[in-house]
């Protein structure tokens, strides 16, 4: 009895592998590029600091995100050189992005325990499982290109990320072009690649479609809360202890990607983003804001980061833009008292967007997208878990001619 069950199972496994193998030939493979903080980072930490953070020998320890090393995250702080406008890790620290080309580090951003406890951390796991149910094989038909999300595209280029990305897409090409589906910051990371790294001949040969989801093309007001008091989801800010906010703020102020995602003047114009009784701050007077929070170096980082992608260049491939709308989204931070800019938690005025990214920033893709899919009342993180979105990506990947 047992033996025949085994045989049946073995036969079924054989049939299913041969099915997968033969349908592989037909698939346009899908590459995922995750967003800010949405893939793992490991580090070798050889400093005089906290003993529980230090690593030994050639060992790289998971830092983002590990319960055990959650308070070692300050070793992920970047050091800015104001002369060269470049970033390095802290002395004694080396950071690695594990899992390039696989999907596991975007399916589960943290250690096994964290992923089990906090399902909300795993943004792309349902997307990968969906494609696997459609016969896609992990690491072959569906892959991911995680990157060091602390950095903006110019630094990623210097680090060699785009050369690896180009090689990965060429490897995935199986006679059918590759579909690139990106989330949030990953969409800007990919826009830079398509616009400034590869040629149109290369794109015509290898890229079937670019599917950016919830892309903050023109930045997001929520980013400013990171510099001011520590980045946290706007909805449940009251339950986060203040020392954790302070801790995260001191890290966020060093991240190039945070400046890269600040609201851009050409999109937010004269809109008041931060308000105190005596001063209004718009995207046109950041310099003043950084002065008033006693962080003048922030202005230099900010200027350098906003210049990384100039304007909103056309990616030059068929683009299918997807985003959520009608979710209350931070639009203005209001401080009661003038001195509060340094210490208080502001009141947040909400406007339209996907909960994290403002509508006017999401909408920029209308300029060049072949198709835009706007999904009502689905927020920034749920957009990659939406079944409508998964079916749309599958449709794009499998259609002979895409509309
Ligand atoms: C957080 O930072 C603010 C401003 O620097 C400070 O006033 C406050 O005491 C800090 N809170 C904690 C718990 O560290
Ligand atoms: C700031 O802007 C608001 C409009 O958002 C305006 O009502 C207010 O008077 C301005 N305050 C200052 C100090 O300019
Ligand atoms: C602003 O001031 C009012 C009353 O003066 C107070 O109730 C409220 O909590 C303050 N809001 C913030 C965000 O500090
Ligand atoms: C997005 O929406 C889901 C379901 O409505 C909710 O559980 C989640 O907290 C929201 N995420 C954010 C970042 O607001």
């Amino acid at each position: 009895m047992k033996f025949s069950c085994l045989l049946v199972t073995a036969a079924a496994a054989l049939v299913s592998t041969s099915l997968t193998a033969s349908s592989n030939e037909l698939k346009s493979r899908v590459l995922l590029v995750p967003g800010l903080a949405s893939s793992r980072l490991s580090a070798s930490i050889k400093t005089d600091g906290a003993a529980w953070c230090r690593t030994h020998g050639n060992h790289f320890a998971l830092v983002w995100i590990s319960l055990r090393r959650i308070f070692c995250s300050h070793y992920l702080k970047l050091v800015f050189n104001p002369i060269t406008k470049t970033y390095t890790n802290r002395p004694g620290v080396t950071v690695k992005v594990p899992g390039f080309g696989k999907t596991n580090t975007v399916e589960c951003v943290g250690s096994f325990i964290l992923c089990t406890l906090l399902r909300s951390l795993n943004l792309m796991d349902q997307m990968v499982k969906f494609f696997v149910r459609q016969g896609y094989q992990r690491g072959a038909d569906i892959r991911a290109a995680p990157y060091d999300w602390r950095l903006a595209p110019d630094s990623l280029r210097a680090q060699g990320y785009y050369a690896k990305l180009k090689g990965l897409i060429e490897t995935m090409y199986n006679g059918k072009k590759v579909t690139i589906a990106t989330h949030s910051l990953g969409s800007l990371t990919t826009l830079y690649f398509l616009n400034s790294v590869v040629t149109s001949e290369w794109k015509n040969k290898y890229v079937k479609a670019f599917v950016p989801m919830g892309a903050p093309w023109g930045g997001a007001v929520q980013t400013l809360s990171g510099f001011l008091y520590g980045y946290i989801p706007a909805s449940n800010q009251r339950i986060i202890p203040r020392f954790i906010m302070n801790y995260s703020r001191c890290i966020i102020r060093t991240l190039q990607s945070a400046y890269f995602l600040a609201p851009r003047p050409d999109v937010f114009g004269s809109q008041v983003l931060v308000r105190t009784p005596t001063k209004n701050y718009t995207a046109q007077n950041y310099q003043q804001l950084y002065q008033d929070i006693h962080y003048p170096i922030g202005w230099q980082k900010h200027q350098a980061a906003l210049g990384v992608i100039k304007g909103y260049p056309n990616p030059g491939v068929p683009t299918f833009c997807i985003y959520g709308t009608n979710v209350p989204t931070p639009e203005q931070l209001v401080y009661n008292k003038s001195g509060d800019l340094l210490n208080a938690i502001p009141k947040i005025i909400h406007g339209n967007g996907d909960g994290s990214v403002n509508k006017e920033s999401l909408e920029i893709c209308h300029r060049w997208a072949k198709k835009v899919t706007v999904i009502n009342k689905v927020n920034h993180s749920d957009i990659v878990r939406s079944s409508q979105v998964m079916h749309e990506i599958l449709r794009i990947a499998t259609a002979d001619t895409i509309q």
Side-chain angles (χ1 to χ4, degrees):
M1 187 62 197
K2 259 199 177 137
F3 184 63
S4 61
C5 281
L6 262 180
L7 264 186
V8 172
T9 320
L14 272 179
V15 170
S16 74
T17 9
S18 59
L19 273 181
T20 327
S22 62
S23 50
N24 272 352
E25 314 309 322
L26 306 170
K27 287 193 169 64
S28 157
R29 292 171 165 170
V30 174
L31 177 64
L32 302 172
V33 184
L36 184 69
S38 302
S39 56
R40 292 184 213 171
L41 296 178
S42 301
S44 149
I45 301 169
K46 299 237 162 63
T47 63
D48 303 333
W52 68 88
C53 293
R54 258 179 262 149
T55 60
H56 303 282
N58 297 326
H59 180 62
F60 277 74
L62 179 66
V63 177
W64 188 265
I65 311 168
S66 142
L67 216 45
R68 197 178 138 214
R69 285 197 162 80
I70 195 81
F71 288 109
C72 301
S73 302
H74 55 286
Y75 288 108
L76 297 177
K77 280 165 91 172
L78 291 167
V79 181
F80 179 66
N81 178 331
I83 314 285
T84 58
K85 315 268 187 239
T86 53
Y87 288 85
T88 48
N89 287 311
R90 294 177 60 174
V93 177
T94 313
V95 173
K96 264 197 199 163
V97 183
F100 184 82
K102 302 185 186 166
T103 55
N104 63 317
T105 62
V106 305
E107 284 184 83
C108 166
V109 176
S111 58
F112 178 75
I113 299 175
L114 262 184
C115 292
T116 314
L117 290 176
L118 286 171
R119 303 295 303 165
S120 61
L121 287 179
N122 307 317
L123 292 175
M124 285 189 156
D125 66 332
Q126 292 179 35
M127 172 86 75
V128 174
K129 286 187 186 121
F130 169 82
F131 276 94
V132 169
R133 284 197 301 274
Q134 308 298 323
Y136 277 67
Q137 261 186 312
R138 280 187 176 88
D141 307 314
I142 181 152
R143 307 184 75 162
Y147 54 95
D148 188 339
W149 43 259
R150 300 173 303 159
L151 299 169
D154 59 336
S155 305
L156 291 174
R157 181 180 214 160
Q159 234 187 31
Y161 171 71
Y162 288 120
K164 278 169 67 186
L165 181 62
K166 184 165 175 266
L168 178 61
I169 294 171
E170 288 167 6
T171 309
M172 289 177 75
Y173 177 79
N174 55 354
K176 299 235 171 199
K177 304 185 202 184
V178 176
T179 298
I180 310 174
T182 63
H183 183 223
S184 194
L185 172 67
S187 308
L188 283 106
T189 307
T190 306
L191 177 68
Y192 182 94
F193 171 72
L194 293 171
N195 181 260
S196 312
V197 179
V198 286
T199 62
S200 354
E201 292 74 42
W202 190 92
K203 287 187 277 192
N204 288 339
K205 171 149 190 215
Y206 292 106
V207 181
K208 181 174 194 188
F210 173 36
V211 190
M213 297 172 273
W217 308 111
V221 175
Q222 194 175 23
T223 318
L224 297 179
S225 60
F227 301 124
L228 291 169
Y229 59 89
Y231 184 88
I232 33 143
S235 50
N236 47 8
Q237 56 180 313
R238 304 289 166 208
I239 59 173
I240 298 194
R242 191 60 202 273
F243 81 94
I244 292 185
M245 291 209 225
N246 284 5
Y247 180 72
S248 66
R249 173 176 64 186
C250 99
I251 299 166
I252 290 164
R253 284 185 179 181
T254 75
L255 305 184
Q256 188 189 16
S257 48
Y259 297 90
F260 182 60
L261 293 177
R264 290 177 177 255
D266 53 0
V267 175
F268 289 86
S270 57
Q271 208 173 303
V272 176
L273 307 178
V274 180
R275 189 172 164 182
T276 70
T278 49
K279 263 186 206 158
N280 280 336
Y281 303 88
T282 69
Q284 276 145 3
N285 56 358
Y286 282 125
Q287 186 172 11
Q288 187 67 50
L289 180 65
Y290 286 110
Q291 262 171 33
D292 294 349
I293 61 172
H294 304 168
Y295 193 64
I297 186 79
W299 171 235
Q300 292 191 44
K301 299 184 191 181
H302 194 120
Q303 277 178 301
L306 287 195
V308 171
I309 296 184
K310 299 206 171 55
Y312 304 97
N314 190 326
V317 294
T319 299
F320 297 80
C321 185
I322 300 175
Y323 59 84
T325 187
N326 294 327
V327 182
T329 306
E331 186 174 84
Q332 193 179 62
L333 310 176
V334 183
Y335 290 88
N336 268 348
K337 297 200 230 93
S338 291
D340 279 357
L341 210 47
L342 293 175
N343 302 311
I345 306 294
K347 183 176 164 223
I348 297 178
I349 310 283
H350 291 91
N352 199 351
D354 73 0
S356 300
V357 184
N358 310 85
K359 184 165 178 274
E360 47 274 63
S361 179
L362 293 161
E363 277 175 353
I364 285 178
C365 63
H366 289 241
R367 301 181 187 184
W368 24 252
K370 198 175 164 83
K371 181 180 167 196
V372 178
T373 307
V374 182
I375 304 185
N376 198 29
K377 297 223 187 299
V378 169
N379 68 25
H380 190 70
S381 16
D382 281 350
I383 196 80
V384 294
R385 301 187 179 112
S386 146
S387 133
Q388 186 186 340
V389 170
M390 295 175 197
H391 281 98
E392 172 70 355
I393 300 173
L394 181 68
R395 183 189 73 79
I396 295 164
T398 51
D400 284 335
T401 45
I402 37 172
Q403 327 278 330

